[in-house]
């Protein structure tokens, strides 16, 4: 475990990725302190090009693009992290339970997992979001978590099954350890790296998906986030009138944050058990 | 054979689950489901069409099993009701008008990304640790982290708005009449180029990395060493021995990621005003056209199941072990 983290820290890709992610986390926490203006404050004329006073220009409504992006970081990251956490939690509980208990329970859980996997996510989320109406960021996080836990559960189940028949698990069973203790103290530590992959991939997926749903007009357009910024830019035809800066800043934030997470994932893959390589399938499914 | 039967049974279950979602959601919302779903429709549709539409969604007198039975019957006969936004067309007619355009984008881009990505992945794995591999594999992962939304916005701005190389939207030049004329087909291809390019960029990294990883895992196997020792040519070992087996995970993931590809196509179409499912759906969402939004879930699920079934058949062809199991 210790060696895993030591070699992870020595990896250059990992440190660059961690640096990027840390930067955005800091921006989410302290952003409102350093932002040049409030998120909904009119500071200039509509669609002013980038200049010294407005580093990334202004929107159609005369709001500072950079300031909006900085304020939006908090919402986007909050949704990403909370949805990522929920996806990982559901996936881990379902995967470990199915993989360890086997039999009927496994069959039932596996069927549910496969159904979740095969029903296309975005169309399903569109139906959910359309009925809910202007969905708040918290609702969006719940919708994302409820529809996207399938991959994590499948991979965790497979790994649990392969650990299930190791000698040390049998030994623990013969010693009479209670099931919860075997799950929590014997199995879970050996699943840490797979859970880590699941978490990072899920956060990336959630941030992108939130932006996509809001871009489609299914979010609450008054809450400033990267997605609603793109939605407002699209509805005011910012690109068509040449105001590229209104789109550039949130796009850059999405790409940079995503690259940071992928770098960490890639480095973890290099360090960890080569058997875990299949997890890349998960990342690509989310692309 | 039992393998296929098991899969077919699973697909029916998955389809019914998607239908249950559509049936339950309006009934779970606070308030009267009929009001929620048909608020827009009431102002657009004549009363008798509205009654027919309600019946399609199971809003009939009787206990809920009867209502659900009615709904399932309409779903399995693919009667998805009337569209509100595109009145007087049925949801079916609206979806079928849009579907070919989306299929054109999804299938062409998937095929290009699959062939190109797998070929590059094979190359990277064959010389693993080499210059191409150590640059290509991380680069592929980085590209994957870029959402299709961003790729299409950038492509639209740089290639169509600034450089004016390619059109900014629509599926063909409006002055042409649709038909099998060289001018029309050419126009369709030019208009499809940007959306397809965007979707290829979104998918190619995944195929490259999956292929590379499963190739690398296989290259250590004894039968590869044996094939080399027998003096088979490099190309034979690479393609007929390693790549054929390495393709299996790719084929399975091909079907699984089709949902994501459809999702990406929806976004791309909206950015490029391309008249496929995504753009139609976008108009439906803005008008809160619930029958259309629900209909697309059934259609997309059906598309996913069909693709998975095709992947099952392909796996069966590639892997003789499945035939015996």
């Amino acid at each position: 475990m210790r060696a895993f983290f030591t070699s992870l820290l020595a990896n250059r890709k990992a440190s660059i990725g961690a640096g990027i992610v840390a930067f955005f986390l800091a921006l989410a926490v302290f952003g409102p302190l350093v932002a040049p203006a409030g998120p909904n404050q009119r500071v200039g004329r509509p669609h002013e090009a980038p200049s010294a006073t407005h580093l990334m220009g202004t929107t159609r409504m005369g709001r500072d693009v950079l300031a909006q992006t900085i304020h939006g970081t908090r919402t986007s990251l909050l949704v990403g992290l909370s949805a990522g956490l929920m996806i990982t939690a559901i996936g881990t509980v379902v995967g470990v339970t199915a993989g360890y208990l086997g039999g009927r329970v496994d069959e039932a859980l596996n069927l549910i997992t496969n159904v979740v996997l095969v029903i296309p996510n975005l169309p399903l989320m569109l139906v959910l979001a359309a009925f809910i109406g202007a969905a708040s960021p918290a609702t969006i996080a719940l919708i994302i978590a409820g529809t996207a836990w399938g991959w994590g559960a499948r991979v965790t189940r497979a790994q649990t099954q392969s650990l299930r028949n190791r000698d040390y698990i049998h030994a623990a069973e013969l010693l009479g350890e209670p099931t919860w203790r075997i799950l929590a103290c014997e199995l879970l530590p050996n699943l840490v790296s797979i859970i880590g992959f699941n978490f990072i991939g899920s956060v990336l997926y959630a941030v992108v998906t939130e932006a996509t749903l809001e871009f489609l007009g299914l979010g609450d357009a008054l809450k400033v986030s990267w997605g609603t910024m793109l939605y407002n830019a699209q509805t005011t035809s910012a690109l068509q009138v040449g105001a590229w800066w209104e789109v550039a800043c949130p796009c850059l934030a999405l790409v940079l944050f995503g690259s940071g997470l992928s770098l960490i994932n890639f480095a973890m893959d290099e360090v960890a058990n080569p058997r875990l390589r299949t997890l890349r399938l998960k990342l690509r499914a989310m692309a | 054979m039992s393998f296929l039967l098991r899969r077919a049974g699973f697909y029916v279950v998955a389809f019914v689950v998607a239908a249950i979602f559509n049936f339950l959601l309006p009934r779970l919302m606070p308030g009267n489901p009929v009001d929620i779903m048909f608020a827009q429709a009431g102002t657009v549709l004549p009363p008798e069409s509205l009654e027919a539409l309600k019946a399609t969604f199971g809003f009939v007198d009787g206990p809920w099993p009867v209502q659900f039975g009615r709904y399932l019957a309409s779903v399995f006969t693919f009667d998805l009701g009337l569209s509100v936004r595109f009145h007087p067309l049925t949801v079916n007619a609206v979806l079928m008008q849009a579907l070919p355009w989306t299929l054109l984008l999804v299938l062409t881009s998937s095929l290009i990304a699959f062939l190109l990505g797998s070929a590059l992945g094979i190359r990277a794995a064959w010389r693993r640790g080499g210059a191409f591999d150590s640059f290509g594999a991380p680069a592929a992962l980085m590209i994957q982290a870029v959402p299709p939304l961003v790729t299409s916005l950038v492509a639209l701005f740089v290639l169509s708005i600034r450089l004016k190389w390619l059109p900014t939207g629509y599926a063909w030049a409006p002055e042409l009449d649709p038909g099998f004329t060289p001018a029309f087909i050419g126009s369709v291809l030019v208009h499809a180029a940007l959306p397809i390019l965007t979707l290829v960029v979104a998918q190619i990294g995944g195929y490259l990395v999956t292929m590379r990883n499963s190739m690398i895992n296989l290259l250590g196997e004894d039968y590869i060493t044996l094939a080399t020792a027998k003096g088979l040519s490099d190309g034979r070992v690479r393609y007929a021995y390693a790549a054929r087996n390495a393709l299996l995970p790719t084929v399975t993931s091909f079907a699984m990621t089709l949902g994501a590809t459809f999702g990406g196509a929806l976004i791309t179409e909206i950015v490029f005003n391309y008249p496929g499912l995504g753009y139609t759906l976008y108009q439906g969402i803005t008008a809160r056209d619930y029958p259309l939004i629900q209909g697309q879930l059934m259609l997309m699920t059906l598309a996913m199941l069909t693709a998975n079934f095709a992947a099952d058949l392909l796996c069966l062809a590639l892997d003789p072990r499945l035939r015996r199991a």
Side-chain angles (χ1 to χ4, degrees), chain B residues 82-106:
Chain B
L82 288 167
S83 163
V84 177
R85 167 71 172 72
F86 300 94
H87 177 71
L89 292 177
T90 62
V91 169
N92 260 341
V94 174
L95 291 177
M96 286 309 144
Q97 259 173 17
L99 184 65
W101 296 112
T102 302
L103 281 181
L104 173 72
L105 298 189
V106 168

Side-chain angles (χ1 to χ4, degrees), chain A residues 202-218:
Chain A
S202 304
V203 172
L204 176 56
Y205 170 79
V207 169
V208 169
T209 309
E210 187 222 7
T212 308
L213 286 178
E214 288 178 341
F215 171 76
L216 291 173
L218 290 165

Side-chain angles (χ1 to χ4, degrees), chain B residues 184-230:
Chain B
F184 180 73
I185 293 172
S187 173
V188 165
L189 289 180
V190 169
H191 282 77
L194 259 190
I196 289 179
L197 177 77
T198 311
L199 289 173
V200 168
V201 170
Q203 297 175 74
I204 193 164
Y207 287 115
L208 194 158
V209 174
T210 315
M211 194 63 192
R212 168 184 175 270
N213 288 348
S214 54
M215 270 288 270
I216 287 182
N217 281 336
L218 282 175
L219 286 176
E221 298 277 331
D222 287 342
Y223 73 90
I224 300 285
T225 319
L226 178 69
T228 320
K230 279 197 297 191

